[in-house]
Structures are given as C-alpha cells and as structure tokens.
Amino acid sequence: MAREGSINLTQGAYEDLRADLLSCRIAPGSRLKVQELCDRLSVSLGAIREALSRLTSEGLVVAEPQRGFRAAPISAEDLLDLTKTRIQIETLCIRRAIEVGDVAWESQLVAALHRLSRTPEHTPDDPVHSSDEWATAHAAFHKALVAGCDSHWLLRLRDQLYDQSERYRRRSVSLAPRARNISKEHQDLATAVLDRNAEKAAELLAAHLAVTTDILLAAEVSDLPAAKTTVRA
C-alpha cells in the first residue's frame, strides 16, 4: 500500500507540473526550484525529481548540469520549426485516417466535436485565457481527427508535437483577433474529414495550425519577438 501511495503521489506531481507547463502557468524558461515544488505539491524530493525527469524526456523541461531544471524556453524560431513539422506530420495522419478510418472512428470524431462545441472556451473569472476544460476538449478533438490513422509512430510524433504546440497556443488566445471564428474552423475540419475529402481536410488543417503561429509572430511579446517569416499552409 505504501508503494502504491508513493506511485500515486509521483504521478500526481507529474500531471500537475505538466498541466502548469502546458498552460504556461509556469513561465517558459523559468527556473524550477525543487524544494519549492515539493512544498507546493506536498510530495517528496524523489517524487519531484522523477516527475521532472519524465518531463525532461518529453521536452517540456530542460536539465542543466550543476544548475538544476528550467521550463523549456520558447522562441519565434522554435515556433516556426515546430509548426511546419507539425503540419507535415499531422496532415499525413489525417490523410491516412480518412483512407482507413472506420465508422467507429467517425463516431468518435462527432462526439469530440460535440463536446468541444458545448464547452465554454472562457470562464467568467478569466475571460481572456482559455480554460483547462476547454483545452482538454480541444486536445481530444484534434486527437480524434487523426485517430483513424493506423500508424502508431505517426500518432506518437503527432502527440509530442501537439504538446509542444500547446504552450504556444495558450499564449496566442489573448492575442487572437476577435474576428477569428475558431468554432467554425473546427466544424469545417470535421466536415471535410467526415466527407472523406483528404485534400480539403489537409488544407484546412494546415491553415488552422498556421493561424495560431502567425498571431504570435505578429504580436509584440517580450519573450517571443516577432519574426519576419510566417507559416504558409
């Protein structure tokens, strides 16, 4: 029972830290003080170190010899590279899903879209940033879009790229122009996929991912300087 409790605490610390990193509640590039994390999460030093080790392997934390840990930094160059790579991988996934996906996959996508459409993006106490509940539904929708793909390696790469992109997406929400209709973007994507229109689905997906990047690159954010290059779908 003691071992099981220790495992649960370690997993809980990992999940809490991961959520804080993805949402940028822990600022990118900031130092992670192990003892402070132990106190905040009420877990042992070993639990925090194991959680940080897992997050380092995922690229969300950087281990610095003799200096400890930092939240992975963000930059315009990284964002461009990440977005272009994600577009390449995710469009491969969606094309393959359309080719081989079955009715069960289609039903999963419809359910994910319905959940996302019924989940408020903002809460009354924070009308600027997207809520954790919406972020979870959003992640589930994007995962469902490609879940019909039968390549485990492609899906694994897609998941890693999505997690890295999420840190940037969270930062773009407050900067996005009010004219952007993200609900329609999601609906159009799902419709193209369900119609088995691979070309249109890939085009819409690439544009959808590029918009978030272009919003950030156009913004004057101190730790994410504007770049001259935009992502082309």
Side-chain angles (χ1 to χ4, degrees), residues 144-157:
L145 277 174
V146 299
C149 174
D150 58 356
S151 170
H152 297 298
W153 277 108
L154 277 177
L155 291 175
R156 183 181 298 181
L157 288 171

Side-chain angles (χ1 to χ4, degrees), residues 21-22 32 34 36 57 74 133 149 160 217 232:
L21 289 163
L22 291 178
L32 301 173
V34 174
E36 288 184 4
S57 70
I74 61 175
E133 292 77 13
C149 174
Q160 293 173 346
L217 293 178
R232 300 299 179 188

Side-chain angles (χ1 to χ4, degrees), residues 96-110:
R96 185 60 181 167
I98 289 172
E99 182 179 351
V100 303
D102 56 15
V103 174
W105 162 61
E106 291 181 351
S107 299
Q108 178 185 348
L109 175 56
V110 171

